[in-house]
Amino acid sequence: MKVPFEWLREFVVIDMDPQDLAVKLTMCGLEVEGTEKQAPSFRGVVAGRITGIDKHPDAENLVICMIDTGRETLPIVCGAKNMAAGDKVPLATVGAKLKDGFVVEKKKIRGIESSGMLCSEKELGLSDDHSGIFILPDECTVGKWLHEETMVQDVILDINIPPNRGDCLSMYGIAREVGSILDQRAKLPIFNLETDAGKKVKDYVSLKVLNTDACPRYVLRLINGISIGTSPFWMRNRLIKCGMRPINTIVDVTNYVMLELGQPLHAFDYHRIRGKRIEVRLADKEAAFRTLDGQEQKLLQGDILICDGEGPVALAGIMGGENSEISESTEDVALESAYFNPLYIRKTTRRLGIKSEASLRFEKGIDIDNVGFAAERAIFFMNRLSGGKVMKGEREVHEKKELKTLFVTYSNINGLLGTHISQQDITKILRSIDIHIKKEGEEGLLITIPNFRHDIDEPADIVEEISRLYGYDRIPATRPVSALSGQKRSAREVSLDTTKEYFKGAGFFELINFAFFSEKDRENFLIPPADERASFVGIVNPISREYGVMRTFIAPGVLKSIAYNINRGAKNLRFFEKGKVFFLSGEGKPYERTAICFAMTGREAEFFWRDKYSDYDFFDIKGIMEGLMGAFGVTFSLRKTAEPFLNPQRGADILVDGVQAGWIGELREEVLKLYEIEQSIYCAELQFDIILQKVKLEVQYSPIPRFPQVTRDFSFFIDDLVPVGMLTDKIRGVSPLITSVGIFDMFKKEKRSVSFRVIFQSYEDTLTDEEVNRLQETIIKELTNIDGISLRA
Amino acid sequence: MDIGVLQNRVDKELSSIKTIDDVRKAKVSLLGRKGIFSEYIENIKLLDKGERKGAGQEINAHKLRTESRLRELEDFYGEEEKKKREAASRIDITMPGKMPLAGKKHPLTQTLDEMIRIFTSLGFSVAEGPDIELEYYNFEALNIPADHPARDMQDTFYIQNGIVLRTHTSPVQIRVMESQLPPVKIIAPGTVYRCDNDISHTPMFHQVEGLMVDKNVRFSDLKGILSMFVQDMFGKDTPLRFRPSYFPFTEPSAEVDIGCVICGGTGCRVCKDTGWIEIIGSGMVHPQVFRNVGYDQEEITGFAFGMGVERVAMIRYGIDDIRQFYYNDIRFLSQF
């Protein structure tokens, strides 16, 4: 909320500059987000007095004003009509700079020399008003530069009012806070309302409130014979500073008093109130109602309505009706000041999506005790600005309730805060915010809460009040008494850490993508609608269609990141991402899992002067997978895949203990095309939760063998269709003395030749040649027994 | 047996030595098993018994001299050879080196890991909760009823009736308290979602929630723990202040500001000229929250806090556009 400093000072003594006050407010819970200096941009404009006005000899629409500047009297040619002799006006002297850098020159207008110009508010940049010359208020001193006048200078505090502090949504409300902080007392404005003893409100309107839960207080006042016009500069200026647009003397007053006291008000055209009666009730059936912004609103049961003799005239607390709206020709006004129950207002505004300055305040709860005073204040201003006569008295319904009472103990306060605030300080702080102390006891205080504090319900709320006004900076910083206790990290945490560290070490960069994608991604990956990955968790209100559903797998995001980087000149990429994926069960219940995706494209590096690099292929990503599973202590196997987005010749399902835990391989060209990628991508995605069940994190030491190992190499011709992976397992299975089987060569001429290196190792003794020879025989026999395998001589 | 001939043959061999290879050859031809000295020693047997001793001694003395001479030559030519080898091994050491492949964790992960490290060292353990959350856990249980004005502050993604994408990590507080009795000392890092997308908002971002509940947990403890965190995360001399704020699930509530790291407190665009940057929302757990999870709020107290990982990372690295974290541009990722 914007709070003009000069306005605030009307209610409370502030003995410091706005910046210092801003820090104090911030440290007491009203965060000042910024201070804006209001200073006029014009220079060389002096306050002058019109001593005489003559007709221009050659132009009917122009006059010549004689302006007393305090030093001399200058003739100024002017086209406006709103000024009279004796008025104080702003005179832009020769050389003056006005809004937008316009410089005033001495010039002849229709033969008469004008030594400057009289200015409108718009020309000075003070408002949008260009209807005539700005008639200065009496306080202005003739001969003084206008930019030095306090009326055009101010500092506006931009205060972030916490959502629970509706009582601070007014100048007086802020002043009350300032008072408690500065040890001052905010004072309500004093004014003298004159009423017309001859006419009494009760003779002209009747009032009935049918539901006092929805509307516990309602006040109606009447003023007649007014003429609506433009509000004076000071009022318009304050409205503008607070971010509101001045309209006319009636609307401006309702807004002004709302800003001043926090009480929203509504003005009806008295003559449009049918049957001269007002009835506050809840809507009992669905109905249509046109509010004054011209919108047709659908009313539902439970909305609070202000009705006249025939039907609704306002949607209570939210917006008036078009049918009772005041206009430029309105002469008699009925003014409403009321308290509406926040719960009702919130329900209606949420449903209709209407937000107004009035509903904002009603929603948070206003001061029910201030309803009558605000009506008096507003009718006073209407009378002052629009003339007319204020009728005597008012119509009022007021259902009074007892003040909230609380008991707080001193140990409540100091125990929760970790402080030793004295009883004296506590009572002083509470009194400063209008909390009444009913009883001061040994243990604590019995207090009553003023009606404007809707946020105080229980002792903790009082602790907050005391702590913020005592000062958070005065509360010590301590070490908790509660004992520290170590806790072993869960297997999940450790495994996720292992994953991240592994990929980092393997040269992969971590991605974080939004957990949303679009249904299009499923289509792009050719995944059939019956697949689990097509059972999307949809978002009712997504930010865009591209992010319409929660992702069911991570690969599309990784692919998009690859495409993004390729488009920016990168070619060789290694990425991984871990994150949640989301599905909808058959019963329509969402569930989530964690997945890990990694991908590589291009080659290790673009070049190194000494070496040549080859492009990544299946065995690079397979190696990454082997390393990862090794880090988890998990064994896995590959199976022919049916994943529609993988090249079936270069892809596989990943099985852990026979359970499918993911996939690995080269992405199909037609999938890549949809993401506008033209180079091969090798990618894998794992269901982390399945792997987590098999993870072996505990390391068990095995002794280092004391005896030498023996190495033997074997070469076989192996038919293309015989999977070599199976053969290494077979060799290893020959004897526990075989500790390692590696493939150190593979080439193809007519037949495929594969060379194995086998390491034999005993933990008990040195292996003899005979033992190794015997095992060698067995290996050769086992392998050559298989169709399509023969020993290479 | 003519020792003079031996002498000549040896001298000839030795004098022809020009390289370390010659030394090695000479060693074999002179001292080897079939070398000259072996031959002569073998031939001693052929001599008369009386001559054998003298000849043996003479040959031996000769052999020792030869050995010593060969060692000298070996040292000399060895050194020369080494120098040559070294000279030949010259490379241009200004050519670029070969870097090992090295990847990086995302800057958000690095920042989060650091935050977790600090809090675990202060005795907190890590808890998790679902991203797709019941509206009840996200709002009601945290004292944010359906029509509460605080819901205006958050733009929630809705999944179904009563189910939302969590807008903060605070629901983990409730889940943890529902499942265990005090004392509770957890942090809950995680992904959260809000309907927002501009230079300072992304629809998904990360938070770390913290909760400590026990007998006699005080506001001053909250100050102590968060001060330790700030000093560890941002440096010992980082100015910080606690200022009153409002959250529906804490009372009293506090916002923690640190001195602006960009301008050092003199005022800049990042800190909106205040010299301070907001980093943590915190407060004492609201009694209503305790009632909601069935804790006895007369017996125990607690504090809770939450902070944005992106915000901490932005401050840490001087990043001014939050969306950078989610473009996944390798030129960005490789900087951290």
Side-chain angles (χ1 to χ4, degrees), chain A residues 149-222:
Chain A
E149 288 286 351
T150 50
M151 97 182 164
V152 293
Q153 289 183 340
D154 199 4
V155 174
I156 300 158
L157 307 178
D158 191 0
I159 305 181
N160 180 13
I161 311 286
N164 63 335
R165 290 300 304 274
D167 62 297
C168 288
L169 288 171
S170 68
M171 299 307 130
Y172 178 65
I174 301 281
R176 204 158 41 196
E177 276 290 306
V178 170
S180 63
I181 296 166
L182 301 185
D183 219 2
Q184 296 286 341
R185 253 199 122 74
K187 290 188 183 67
L188 281 168
I190 297 166
F191 55 93
N192 190 16
L193 176 66
E194 282 172 22
T195 55
D196 175 8
K199 284 183 175 170
K200 290 176 185 153
V201 171
K202 66 178 168 57
D203 298 329
Y204 288 84
V205 72
S206 69
L207 171 68
K208 211 177 200 175
V209 175
L210 298 182
N211 186 325
T212 51
D213 176 51
C215 176
R217 192 171 184 192
Y218 196 99
V219 171
L220 258 183
R221 296 199 75 132
L222 299 178

Side-chain angles (χ1 to χ4, degrees), chain B residues 253-317:
Chain B
S253 305
E255 200 86 57
V256 184
D257 297 339
I258 60 168
C260 181
V261 291
I262 309 293
C263 63
T266 55
C268 68
R269 198 171 55 87
V270 174
C271 61
K272 292 193 226 155
D273 283 327
T274 60
W276 296 96
I277 305 180
E278 230 173 80
I279 56 155
I280 311 174
S282 66
M284 302 307 289
V285 178
H286 197 288
Q288 188 56 45
V289 173
F290 284 144
R291 288 192 284 267
N292 290 344
V293 297
Y295 277 13
D296 180 358
Q297 53 106 7
E298 301 283 326
E299 277 294 301
I300 47 100
T301 53
F303 64 74
F305 57 86
M307 64 190 109
V309 181
E310 278 78 356
R311 188 156 181 80
V312 173
M314 286 168 88
I315 294 168
R316 198 176 178 209
Y317 301 119

Side-chain angles (χ1 to χ4, degrees), chain A residues 329-376:
Chain A
S329 59
T330 298
E331 288 176 358
D332 304 326
V333 167
L335 177 77
E336 164 201 286
S337 180
Y339 180 97
F340 299 114
N341 186 328
L343 297 174
Y344 292 80
I345 303 294
R346 265 180 238 156
K347 220 168 104 188
T348 305
T349 53
R350 277 178 87 86
R351 191 188 77 238
L352 297 176
I354 312 178
K355 280 213 165 153
S356 63
E357 288 288 327
S359 69
L360 173 81
R361 286 172 174 80
F362 282 124
E363 276 186 33
K364 295 181 191 296
I366 58 160
D367 184 1
I368 195 166
D369 296 330
N370 209 24
V371 169
F373 179 76
E376 203 174 316

Side-chain angles (χ1 to χ4, degrees), chain B residues 115-279:
Chain B
M115 292 161 84
I116 293 173
R117 179 192 67 73
I118 295 169
F119 282 114
T120 47
S121 77
L122 291 170
F124 289 78
S125 54
V126 176
E128 278 189 280
D131 290 22
I132 298 180
E133 186 54 282
L134 296 176
E135 224 175 336
Y136 171 77
Y137 284 111
N138 198 69
F139 294 122
E140 278 86 346
L142 289 159
N143 199 31
I144 317 174
D147 60 359
H148 197 285
R151 285 212 187 175
D152 299 347
M153 303 194 296
Q154 302 180 339
D155 302 292
T156 312
F157 283 116
Y158 282 86
I159 296 295
Q160 292 169 6
N161 200 14
I163 302 179
V164 299
L165 289 179
R166 63 176 176 193
T167 59
H168 48 182
T169 41
S170 309
V172 183
Q173 283 183 33
I174 304 296
R175 288 181 173 271
V176 169
M177 286 193 281
E178 277 189 353
S179 66
Q180 71 176 87
L181 289 171
V184 173
K185 208 172 176 188
I186 54 122
I187 52 163
T191 314
V192 300
Y193 307 83
R194 287 183 204 175
C195 269
D196 239 341
N197 203 12
D198 59 42
I199 188 166
S200 44
H201 300 90
T202 46
M204 182 184 102
F205 56 103
H206 297 78
Q207 283 186 340
V208 173
E209 188 79 9
L211 176 71
M212 177 169 181
V213 180
D214 201 352
K215 284 180 181 157
N216 297 320
V217 175
R218 305 155 297 178
F219 188 91
S220 57
D221 298 331
L222 168 69
K223 278 189 75 170
I225 289 283
L226 293 183
S227 302
M228 284 189 260
F229 167 75
V230 164
Q231 286 171 0
D232 201 341
M233 190 79 210
F234 298 104
K236 215 168 166 40
D237 301 322
T238 310
L240 82 163
R241 68 176 190 187
F242 289 76
R243 124 182 103 71
S245 186
Y246 169 74
F247 305 105
F249 38 97
T250 51
E251 188 85 337
S253 305
E255 200 86 57
V256 184
D257 297 339
I258 60 168
C260 181
V261 291
I262 309 293
C263 63
T266 55
C268 68
R269 198 171 55 87
V270 174
C271 61
K272 292 193 226 155
D273 283 327
T274 60
W276 296 96
I277 305 180
E278 230 173 80
I279 56 155

